[in-house]
Amino acid sequence: MGFSPEVVTTAGRIPLFENVRGILITLVVMGHALEPLLGREPLAKALYSGLYLFHIPAFAFLSGHLSRADSGPRALSAIAWGQLAPLAVFQVLYVAFDAWVLGRGWSSHWLVQPYWLLWFLLSLGCWRLMLPLLLRLPKPLMWAVALALVAGLLPWVGYLFGLSRTFVFLPCFVAGHLTRREWLLAPRNTRGWRLVLAASLAGGLGACVGAVATGALPAPAPQWLYGSSGYAVLGATALTGMAARAALFCGALALTWALFTLSPRQESALTRLGGRSLAPFLLHGFVVRAAEHVGAYAFLQGPVGVALALGAGALLTVLLGQASVVQATRPLWEPRWLFQRKRDAVPGLGR
């Protein structure tokens, strides 16, 4: 299908998707910037919970929408160079940084577990491999949901190789792929009720965050939002665990839809940030970990400290997304020198 001129850039990209990607990468960095404050700042914990209700599922949704359901040697090559190559390079860099700079020593578990934020690259590669297989089945989204729910029953599905997260967020990826593009790019004259509903969902999320911050509502266990643990580890029965996971999936999809509906559709600086989101994604962990290591978070207290952490996270995203930084660091996340091949763009993360 074709799109009207206002929703396609001169480079052939759709500003809405780039804007959503720019918002999401900023939220990812801001969420990680809040982590050192979670143990002592209720507001940080409330905001963190609100972010994790939807920003990872939304990234999976966007990645699925931008991914092709290809199979064969070319698709395998794209996955290898697009996800596994930067994963291999940054796994080594982060583990070395952890051991030599942060002084945490070496651990063999990094041989079977992606470092912190790198799980998304491995999971994305797995989702792209699974997508053509799922699409051959009737009602592929139902199969993806079933896999996500059943995975929580298996004791060996957890942090190992990021398996739990791969299964838990698989339905979001499949839902994104199956969503019709014209539904996401609804004309302005049909968006009135959508804007009202999306704003209501966003307002409801804000109200819940405020209630958690004030203690009126309990904060959900982060492990539920991470999707990295089975039901037994989370202290839930099989039935309760599956019901909670299904509810989180429905809530995440609703908030993802609200994000797409409320995001700007015109080309702007946010569009350019979205197109350069891979560099901030891969690089920001070094800065956040280093800031925590040198004690920078000791000066952040109360709501003002939380606001400063959020602002620093947003600023860090913008800085790491600058063209000069992207160009200077490109050999790290596009390792042609190591693999002698230009990698493909990462769906959902851009370059």
Side-chain angles (χ1 to χ4, degrees):
M1 62 170 291
F3 300 104
S4 57
E6 68 269 20
V7 296
V8 180
T9 68
T10 55
R13 294 186 176 186
I14 299 174
L16 172 63
F17 298 157
E18 299 299 316
N19 292 336
V20 169
R21 183 156 49 189
I23 292 170
L24 287 175
I25 190 59
T26 303
L27 294 179
V28 166
V29 179
M30 290 169 70
H32 287 156
L34 286 176
E35 284 190 6
L37 300 176
L38 297 182
R40 56 184 170 87
E41 296 296 340
L43 178 58
K45 191 170 185 179
L47 291 169
Y48 186 83
S49 299
L51 288 177
Y52 273 81
L53 278 172
F54 75 96
H55 82 312
I56 292 176
F59 241 136
F61 182 95
L62 178 61
S63 299
H65 190 73
L66 298 178
S67 292
R68 297 178 180 178
D70 295 335
S71 58
R74 175 172 289 184
L76 293 176
S77 177
I79 293 170
W81 306 115
Q83 279 80 68
L84 300 186
L87 171 62
V89 171
F90 275 86
Q91 181 79 358
V92 172
L93 291 176
Y94 270 111
V95 170
F97 181 79
D98 208 58
W100 291 337
V101 178
L102 304 183
R104 297 180 179 177
W106 298 91
S107 177
S108 60
H109 76 275
W110 293 127
L111 298 175
V112 294
Q113 179 180 320
Y115 185 92
W116 192 23
L117 52 83
L118 298 179
W119 70 269
F120 191 85
L121 290 178
L122 182 58
S123 292
L124 178 56
C126 293
W127 296 332
R128 294 180 68 188
L129 283 173
M130 298 169 69
L131 184 61
L133 302 176
L134 286 171
L135 293 180
R136 295 178 184 176
L137 301 173
K139 301 186 184 302
L141 182 57
M142 291 184 61
W143 282 100
V145 171
L147 287 172
L149 298 182
V150 171
L153 301 171
L154 306 176
W156 48 271
V157 176
Y159 274 101
L160 185 68
F161 294 112
L163 280 178
S164 181
R165 282 168 163 163
T166 297
F167 284 116
V168 168
F169 297 113
L170 174 65
C172 301
F173 181 85
V174 175
H177 183 80
L178 295 176
T179 299
R180 297 177 63 180
R181 184 156 296 184
E182 56 264 32
W183 190 68
L184 295 176
L185 298 174
R188 290 188 177 278
N189 58 2
T190 66
R191 293 177 62 211
W193 67 269
R194 299 181 185 220
L195 289 171
V196 173
L197 180 56
S200 299
L201 288 170
L205 176 62
C208 289
V209 169
V212 171
T214 58
L217 285 177
Q223 288 75 16
W224 279 106
L225 306 178
Y226 294 157
S228 56
S229 303
Y231 306 138
V233 175
L234 294 166
T237 64
L239 184 59
T240 301
M242 287 191 287
R245 186 155 286 175
L248 287 172
F249 169 65
C250 293
L253 279 188
L255 291 171
T256 296
W257 172 80
L259 174 65
F260 274 83
T261 301
L262 296 175
S263 294
R265 299 184 169 219
Q266 289 74 32
E267 195 170 355
S268 64
L270 186 61
T271 313
R272 293 188 290 275
L273 177 62
R276 301 168 181 163
S277 58
L278 183 57
F281 173 75
L282 290 173
L283 297 171
H284 79 272
F286 296 108
V287 181
V288 174
R289 287 287 197 243
E292 183 181 9
H293 179 68
V294 300
Y297 280 88
F299 301 97
L300 302 181
Q301 304 288 335
V304 174
V306 173
L308 288 174
L310 290 172
L315 178 61
L316 177 61
T317 309
V318 173
L319 292 176
L320 294 179
Q322 294 299 303
S324 57
V325 176
V326 171
Q327 189 61 33
T329 59
R330 188 180 294 274
L332 295 176
W333 45 270
E334 192 173 280
R336 306 178 198 178
W337 52 273
L338 182 60
F339 298 101
Q340 296 300 309
R341 184 186 179 102
K342 181 179 179 179
R343 68 159 194 85
D344 296 289
V346 181
L349 284 173
R351 290 175 180 268

